[in-house]
Amino acid sequence: MKTRKIIIASFFALILLALALLSMCACDLRTADRKQLAESCIRIHIRANSNSEADQSVKLAVRDRITEFLELALSECRTKSEAAAVLSRERSRLTAIADSTLKTHGYSYKSSIRIDNEYFPDRVYDGYEFPAGNYDAVVINLGSGSGDNWWCVAFPPLCFVPDSDGGEKVVYKSWIKEFLDKIFN
């Protein structure tokens, strides 16, 4: 009887150990997938001139025009390197779009755009986590660029826009949804 209890307890301990190991492997795979996500993304970062209501408002107008352009410009890209080439080639056009939007709204300051690698903190949107780390990014400074910022993922195209409750929701623009669902589900 005592031997039977030891065998049963050992069996359950072995099952618990196996489940713990499987869980750890799954976590390692998710971490690897998230790292792959970070390495395959190009973010876009738009920084307002200041935190004044007017500067924040025009930042959103620039955001709308830039993301509209990028949706079309990057629609045929299937790799990060293809997207980076398009973004480099279209940099002056992005500047023209931002500057035109600023001028249309009555602002005399201009934009500056650079493609750089910069640090981003952890961000979670609608259950999708973008881990902290360095990402390639299109950085758009409006005027001094010292105000609050807005960001999304230029490639693969996945942008975050305000929803009706004042928060942010995910707007899926391409096959990235399937990739993210694979990682996070």
Side-chain angles (χ1 to χ4, degrees):
M1 183 75 166
K2 198 173 195 182
T3 305
R4 185 174 178 199
K5 285 183 181 180
I6 291 173
I7 291 173
I8 292 173
S10 297
F11 177 74
F12 281 114
L14 187 60
I15 288 176
L16 289 175
L17 179 62
L19 289 174
L21 289 173
L22 284 173
S23 176
M24 287 173 27
C25 289
C27 287
D28 286 344
L29 289 174
R30 285 185 79 180
T31 300
D33 284 343
R34 288 179 183 159
K35 189 173 239 179
Q36 179 188 3
L37 175 66
E39 292 171 356
S40 65
C41 288
I42 300 175
R43 289 186 171 190
I44 182 169
H45 204 172
I46 302 174
R47 296 179 177 129
N49 182 58
S50 75
N51 284 335
S52 74
E53 189 174 316
D55 282 342
Q56 289 296 312
S57 178
V58 78
K59 172 190 73 180
L60 298 179
V62 169
R63 170 203 69 189
D64 293 345
R65 295 275 319 279
I66 293 288
T67 56
E68 180 181 327
F69 173 76
L70 289 178
E71 184 177 348
L72 292 173
L74 300 174
S75 66
E76 299 298 317
C77 296
R78 292 293 171 245
T79 67
K80 180 180 177 178
S81 61
E82 288 176 5
V86 168
L87 291 167
S88 292
R89 185 177 65 239
E90 298 292 348
R91 192 171 142 210
S92 62
R93 182 121 185 235
L94 291 168
T95 302
I97 291 168
D99 288 347
S100 169
T101 305
L102 291 169
K103 186 176 181 179
T104 298
H105 286 83
Y107 293 88
S108 60
Y109 58 78
K110 303 262 187 208
S111 68
S112 63
I113 298 178
R114 62 186 164 81
I115 299 172
D116 206 352
N117 186 275
E118 64 178 34
Y119 179 81
F120 285 82
D122 282 331
R123 292 296 299 256
V124 177
Y125 284 96
D126 199 29
Y128 296 106
E129 179 183 337
F130 288 82
N134 288 332
Y135 289 80
D136 291 328
V138 176
V139 180
I140 303 173
N141 287 320
L142 306 178
S144 69
S146 60
D148 287 343
N149 64 79
W150 174 87
W151 73 273
C152 76
V153 179
F155 182 83
L158 174 69
C159 287
F160 306 98
V161 296
D163 69 12
S164 59
D165 297 329
E168 290 185 305
K169 68 175 182 175
V170 178
V171 176
Y172 306 100
K173 298 289 185 183
S174 75
W175 50 268
I176 186 64
K177 180 183 184 313
E178 293 162 12
F179 179 72
L180 290 174
D181 284 344
K182 178 185 137 217
I183 292 171
F184 295 106
N185 284 338

